Amino acid sequence: MANWSVVVGMGQRKPMRQGPRTTRKKKTVHDSAELLPLQNSSDSTYGLIATSSQEHNCVLAGCERVTINVSGQYFETRMGMLNRHPVTLLGNPKKRQPFFDHRKGEYFFDRHRPTFEAIFNYYQYGGKLRKPPTVPDDIFLDELDFFEIEIEVINEYRSSEGYIEEETILPENPTHRKIWMLFEYPETSRPAFAIAIISILATVTSIVLFCVETLPEVESTHCVPGKDPNFLDPIFIIETLCSAWFTLEVVVRFFVCPSKIAFFKDIKNWIDIAAVVPYYVTLFTILATMDCERAKSGASLAFLRVIRLIRVFKLTKHSSGLQVLVLTFYASLEGLGLFLVTLMICILLFSSAIYYLEIENPDTQIESIPDGFWWAIITMCTVGYGDKVPVGLGGKIIGAICAVAGVLTLAIPVPIITENFNKFYIHRTGRGKGS
């Protein structure tokens, strides 16, 4: 019993010392460990890997909230979103620092509020700039420049809105520069404006003569069969003066232009050259043969005389309205291509259908599918000459469907052309909203 009591006594616990109770902070896993996925695990469970605790810094992480006050309208976002555009005013800490109000803890800008909404959306979502419909173009572009939005983003916006960037290159020689300004920029001086007026009058006069000289009573005064050409004819003299002016204009501009290579790359210069070549070819032919009747009857020379009509495009150089039309059709090429493809498909379908429906009719006017092309395009364009018409009931039904399909097809490019025309017209003439 003694031994047993000893064993029991040795196994008894000592009473706990009474005293002030101290609390210990329980160490959690998150204080010394981080929940990370196990790299070498076959399943998707997570394991605990001990890491050193790091204090989170919102300033460095970019999650710090920032308040922007634009003329009383508040915008709130995180600093990291602004830092994604470091070259802009808001994305650069040094650039935006002068606008910080330390008393209110916000950035204040006395700027256009509706425009900043579009800029704020660009910061948030990226992509392209979208101008609010109620904001004028000049105000929108001024705000973009103030907030120093990326230049490539502004250029993309200007291109989508129909702005045309024209690079002005002037000759280095002072004399050449003055002459070049006279012939290229009529708004720079009164003599330049007078030269532009002379060029317009010469162009209009030559176009009128091109039409008038085809009248029988006028044509016989210059070219009488069996006689020498009459070089004193008023029509011939006026045409010679107009061609002389066009030649002088092309030659002078060529010799004083800043770059000969750029001169020949410009389509307007080729139009100027093509406007004078037919006159000299016809004149040399008449002088060589002394027979104006033979000069006019030649197929190649007759074609050159038609090329003189290209002079009408010289008016685009002096008319902003004609420039708008050219730019509109150039910008609408994609929509016009879609329209032409749709039109060709419809023409092929309806011409084939009308041919096979009318083939059994002895009075048919559609004798082949290519013959039906003419009928289909005239019907779809709602012209309806009436030279070829369907005779049977089935052909008339196809003709009605073809006419309705033509109206719908013609409506495809209208919104595209209208939108592009409005953009170019506003930017070229300045007659838009808010202008």
Side-chain angles (χ1 to χ4, degrees):
M1 289 296 294
N3 292 337
W4 173 253
S5 61
V6 172
V7 173
V8 173
M10 294 177 60
Q12 291 178 351
R13 295 182 179 180
K14 296 181 180 181
M16 294 182 63
R17 181 182 298 176
Q18 299 294 328
R21 181 175 299 179
T22 60
T23 60
R24 293 182 181 181
K25 182 180 178 182
K26 187 177 180 180
K27 192 173 183 180
T28 62
V29 176
H30 298 287
D31 291 333
S32 60
E34 183 179 0
L35 191 63
L36 295 176
L38 294 177
Q39 300 294 332
N40 298 324
S41 177
S42 59
D43 54 13
S44 59
T45 59
Y46 285 77
L48 292 175
I49 301 177
T51 59
S52 59
S53 60
Q54 296 181 355
E55 182 180 357
H56 180 73
N57 192 331
C58 242
V59 177
L60 297 178
C63 59
E64 179 186 8
R65 294 170 65 179
V66 57
T67 303
I68 304 173
N69 181 359
V70 182
S71 298
Q73 186 173 1
Y74 287 86
F75 299 85
E76 194 169 279
T77 183
R78 298 190 180 276
M79 192 65 71
M81 187 196 70
L82 301 179
N83 294 337
R84 289 183 297 183
H85 305 270
V87 300
T88 62
L89 175 64
L90 293 176
N92 191 305
K94 294 183 179 179
K95 293 180 180 180
R96 65 175 180 251
Q97 183 61 33
F99 301 94
F100 185 73
D101 188 346
H102 294 275
R103 185 172 59 88
K104 294 185 177 181
E106 64 186 23
Y107 291 93
F108 176 76
F109 297 93
D110 188 14
R111 306 299 300 184
H112 194 249
R113 289 182 295 181
T115 298
F116 188 78
E117 291 182 6
I119 296 176
F120 189 73
N121 289 333
Y122 167 72
Y123 274 103
Q124 280 189 314
Y125 306 110
K128 298 181 180 180
L129 287 169
R130 291 289 183 268
K131 182 180 73 69
T134 57
V135 178
D137 286 334
D138 53 349
I139 295 179
F140 189 72
L141 291 174
D142 288 342
E143 294 298 305
L144 296 182
D145 292 336
F146 174 80
F147 287 100
E148 301 182 23
I149 303 301
E150 294 91 340
I151 188 62
E152 59 272 10
V153 177
I154 297 179
N155 290 337
E156 185 179 4
Y157 162 76
R158 293 174 66 91
S159 178
S160 65
E161 288 295 315
Y163 286 95
I164 304 298
E165 299 294 335
E166 296 181 354
E167 185 179 2
T168 303
I169 302 177
L170 300 177
E172 297 180 359
N173 188 295
T175 305
H176 289 181
R177 187 183 303 113
K178 291 180 181 179
I179 299 176
W180 180 257
M181 297 285 286
L182 288 175
F183 283 89
E184 281 293 317
Y185 303 100
E187 69 278 1
T188 56
S189 64
R190 290 186 177 181
F193 182 75
I195 291 176
I197 294 297
I198 295 174
S199 180
I200 293 174
L201 291 177
T203 303
V204 174
T205 302
S206 64
I207 295 172
V208 173
L209 289 179
F210 176 82
C211 301
V212 171
E213 68 180 5
T214 58
L215 297 174
E217 56 272 15
V218 176
E219 187 177 14
S220 60
T221 59
H222 173 63
C223 184
V224 180
K227 293 184 179 181
D228 294 337
N230 182 14
F231 293 107
L232 298 179
D233 181 64
I235 300 294
F236 177 77
I237 294 175
I238 297 175
E239 176 65 22
T240 302
L241 292 175
C242 293
S243 299
W245 171 258
F246 297 146
T247 305
L248 176 66
E249 193 177 16
V250 172
V251 172
V252 171
R253 291 176 61 254
F254 173 75
F255 279 108
V256 302
C257 67
S259 172
K260 301 297 186 290
I261 297 177
F263 181 86
F264 285 108
K265 287 183 178 180
D266 193 347
I267 186 63
K268 296 191 295 293
N269 296 324
W270 283 106
I271 291 176
D272 293 341
I273 296 173
V276 298
V277 168
Y279 170 80
Y280 289 107
V281 173
T282 305
L283 178 62
F284 291 151
T285 304
I286 293 176
L287 293 175
T289 61
M290 293 304 292
D291 186 358
C292 62
E293 192 68 26
R294 183 183 302 176
K296 289 185 177 181
S297 60
S300 58
L301 294 177
F303 175 73
L304 285 175
R305 290 171 63 84
V306 174
I307 294 228
R308 288 164 53 193
L309 257 182
I310 205 172
R311 295 175 181 177
V312 71
F313 293 104
K314 288 174 63 67
L315 295 176
T316 60
K317 180 180 177 181
H318 307 287
S319 173
S320 59
L322 293 177
Q323 292 174 6
V324 167
L325 288 178
V326 174
L327 293 173
T328 298
F329 282 106
Y330 182 77
S332 307
L333 287 178
E334 184 177 354
L336 292 175
L338 174 62
F339 162 71
L340 291 177
V341 170
T342 307
L343 185 64
M344 291 172 59
I345 293 175
C346 291
I347 289 174
L348 180 61
L349 291 176
F350 289 116
S351 60
S352 302
I354 196 72
Y355 169 72
Y356 284 108
L357 284 175
E358 295 278 309
I359 193 173
E360 299 296 336
N361 197 316
D363 299 329
T364 180
Q365 299 181 8
I366 312 296
E367 299 177 354
S368 63
I369 293 180
D371 196 26
F373 289 167
W374 171 253
W375 169 84
I377 191 170
I378 294 302
T379 304
M380 292 192 67
C381 294
T382 67
V383 176
Y385 285 130
D387 53 343
K388 292 185 180 296
V389 295
V391 179
L393 177 62
K396 292 180 179 180
I397 294 176
I398 293 296
I401 299 175
C402 180
V404 175
V407 173
L408 299 177
T409 304
L410 291 174
I412 292 177
V414 173
I416 302 174
I417 295 176
T418 302
E419 181 182 1
N420 290 329
F421 178 82
N422 289 335
K423 289 193 300 185
F424 287 115
Y425 184 78
I426 290 172
H427 301 321
R428 280 281 178 172
T429 62
R431 300 175 185 175
K433 294 180 180 180
S435 61

